[in-house]
């Protein structure tokens, strides 16, 4: 069992070098000898220090530029972490991680999925995160993409999807929706799939788009889901939730929840992202209700 106590040396390092936390993050990420273990320790130590001092900017400093751009609700998530964290830090235990490494064309990337237990004088917490320690095709992606802090309860298992920023209860609906997508297979009935969508989407989408939408979802797998993000807006005084999901590195899947049937999806669109461009170069949202882009996707797959 690994036991590690945050020591005064960690704080003195920053004071003596005169480097800011973001500067130190850049320096660390540029070290060719940087190991997975060093990355994990850096995240654990920095998060604990931020929790102890309620330092929003320190906690944000571990996130990638891409995650910060996408997560317009990150401070809500950080506030939630600060609210549930009680007691004085004692130690970090049960550290473990897994890593995914990919090589595609001229690009390569490595992502660490870390988890540890943080013990305080009052409670034990589970901290989990994903950290891209290498991404030659997109340097802005290097850093933490998503993070979650919860109180540890023996026997309970939590599965979180990769949504940019910090998880908090309002996001549970989105996690559930993405897991529902993964549960769809070729054996899932059209009726079961229809239950995910609002009456307005089903009424406005063409039969061809609905058929290919169901076909697309039946083939969606976790390995193809590269990262999601969420935007909250307002329409006629009502809160609107828009969700975006990277699919296979080449597509963005967009969906929005219905303002009336709030547990249902009212609009869904699939957009192909061309090489060398990002989601900023496209109009990903939809006006109104329905489904778009799935017939086109189907035709592309046949070619």
């Amino acid at each position: 069992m690994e036991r590690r106590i945050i020591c005064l040396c960690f704080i003195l390092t920053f004071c003596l070098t005169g480097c800011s936390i973001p500067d130190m993050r850049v320096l660390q990420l540029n070290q060719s000898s940087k190991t997975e273990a060093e990355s994990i320790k850096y995240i654990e130590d920095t998060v604990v220090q931020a929790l102890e001092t309620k330092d929003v900017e320190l906690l944000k400093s571990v996130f990638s530029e891409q995650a910060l751009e996408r997560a317009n609700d990150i401070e809500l998530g950080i506030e939630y972490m600060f609210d549930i964290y009680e007691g004085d830090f004692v130690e970090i235990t049960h550290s473990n991680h897994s890593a995914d490494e990919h090589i595609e064309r001229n690009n390569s990337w490595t992502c660490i999925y870390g988890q540890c237990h943080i013990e305080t004088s009052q409670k034990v917490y589970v901290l989990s995160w994903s950290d891209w320690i290498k991404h030659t095709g997109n340097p802005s992606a290097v850093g933490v993409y998503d993070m979650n802090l919860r109180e540890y309860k023996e026997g309970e298992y939590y599965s979180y999807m990769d949504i940019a920023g910090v998880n908090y209860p309002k996001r549970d609906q989105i996690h559930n929706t993405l897991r529902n997508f993964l549960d769809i297979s070729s054996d899932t009935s059209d009726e079961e799939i229809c239950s995910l969508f609002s009456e307005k989407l089903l009424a406005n989408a063409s039969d061809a788009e609905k058929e290919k939408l169901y076909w697309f979802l039946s083939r969606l797998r976790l390995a193809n889901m590269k990262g999601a993000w969420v935007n909250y807006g307002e329409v006629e005084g009502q809160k609107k939730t828009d969700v975006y999901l990277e699919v296979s590195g080449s597509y963005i899947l967009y969906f929005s929840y219905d303002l009336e049937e709030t547990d249902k999806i009212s609009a869904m669109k699939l957009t192909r992202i061309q090489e060398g461009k990002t989601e900023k170069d496209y109009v990903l949202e939809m006006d109104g209700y329905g489904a778009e882009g799935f017939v086109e996707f189907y035709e592309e797959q046949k070619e």
Side-chain angles (χ1 to χ4, degrees):
M1 178 182 298
E2 181 181 357
R3 296 178 180 273
R4 187 157 55 251
I5 299 178
I6 308 301
C7 64
L8 187 58
C9 294
F10 177 79
I11 300 173
L12 287 176
T13 299
F14 293 102
C15 296
L16 294 174
T17 61
C19 293
S20 66
I21 291 291
D23 290 339
M24 289 298 294
R25 178 60 166 167
V26 171
L27 176 62
Q28 185 187 40
L29 292 173
N30 286 333
Q31 291 175 339
S32 59
S33 60
K34 179 173 175 285
T35 66
E36 293 173 9
E38 290 170 339
S39 174
I40 291 168
K41 185 179 185 304
Y42 173 82
I43 300 299
E44 290 175 346
D45 290 353
T46 305
V47 170
V48 168
Q49 185 182 352
L51 289 170
E52 288 285 295
T53 59
K54 308 296 185 186
D55 191 329
V56 173
E57 294 305 315
L58 177 58
L59 191 50
K60 287 170 66 174
S61 72
V62 303
F63 284 83
S64 69
E65 178 184 341
Q66 181 184 67
L68 293 174
E69 288 180 352
R70 290 179 169 181
N72 64 0
D73 62 341
I74 191 169
E75 293 194 3
L76 294 176
I78 292 175
E79 181 180 354
Y80 174 73
M81 288 180 67
F82 290 168
D83 285 345
I84 67 171
Y85 185 80
E86 299 177 3
D88 298 321
F89 173 73
V90 176
E91 62 183 356
I92 295 173
T93 62
H94 302 296
S95 295
N96 61 75
H97 76 282
S98 62
D100 283 342
E101 296 183 290
H102 302 270
I103 299 176
E104 182 177 298
R105 296 179 184 174
N106 297 323
N107 297 329
S108 63
W109 57 91
T110 303
C111 183
I112 295 175
Y113 298 92
Q115 180 174 291
C116 69
H117 289 186
I118 299 175
E119 182 181 347
T120 73
S121 56
Q122 296 188 28
K123 295 181 179 180
V124 177
Y125 300 89
V126 179
L127 174 71
S128 56
W129 68 93
S130 66
D131 182 18
W132 294 84
I133 62 172
K134 177 184 179 182
H135 201 310
T136 59
N138 182 13
S140 70
V142 175
V144 171
Y145 189 80
D146 65 279
M147 183 176 291
N148 180 76
L149 182 72
R150 65 183 183 275
E151 186 178 344
Y152 170 73
K153 294 182 181 179
E154 188 174 0
E156 287 193 1
Y157 173 77
Y158 296 85
S159 175
Y160 292 95
M161 309 302 291
D162 289 339
I163 303 177
V166 178
N167 289 314
Y168 56 105
K170 185 177 178 180
R171 282 184 168 188
D172 288 350
Q173 179 184 11
I174 301 170
H175 287 286
N176 291 336
T177 297
L178 297 177
R179 281 192 289 266
N180 285 336
F181 290 167
L182 294 177
D183 289 338
I184 295 173
S185 69
S186 57
D187 296 327
T188 307
S189 68
D190 287 356
E191 183 178 351
E192 290 178 279
I193 300 176
C194 283
S195 67
L196 300 174
F197 304 108
S198 73
E199 293 180 4
K200 292 179 179 178
L201 181 148
L202 297 173
N204 283 272
S206 69
D207 290 341
E209 284 288 0
K210 284 188 288 187
E211 178 186 353
K212 297 307 185 285
L213 166 59
Y214 302 165
W215 178 87
F216 170 82
L217 290 177
S218 70
R219 287 159 176 77
L220 187 62
R221 299 292 182 267
L222 182 61
N224 296 327
M225 300 165 66
K226 302 300 183 182
W229 66 102
V230 57
N231 285 330
Y232 296 106
E234 190 171 298
V235 176
E236 298 178 355
Q238 292 181 283
K239 298 294 183 182
K240 184 172 183 289
T241 302
D242 295 320
V243 183
Y244 308 83
L245 174 67
E246 284 189 54
V247 182
S248 300
S250 302
Y251 295 86
I252 301 294
L253 177 65
Y254 159 84
F255 63 91
S256 181
Y257 290 99
D258 195 283
L259 296 177
E260 298 173 357
E261 298 178 83
T262 55
D263 61 335
K264 308 289 187 181
I265 295 170
S266 61
M268 203 163 197
K269 179 179 180 181
L270 189 64
T271 302
R272 181 179 181 84
I273 302 298
Q274 297 177 1
E275 188 173 354
K277 295 186 178 181
T278 70
E279 62 267 14
K280 293 180 181 179
D281 299 312
Y282 297 84
V283 178
L284 302 176
E285 297 84 359
M286 282 180 59
D287 292 327
Y289 305 92
E292 294 180 2
F294 298 96
V295 170
E296 182 180 354
F297 173 80
Y298 179 79
E299 295 298 328
E300 289 178 352
Q301 300 308 302
K302 289 173 58 179
E303 295 177 356

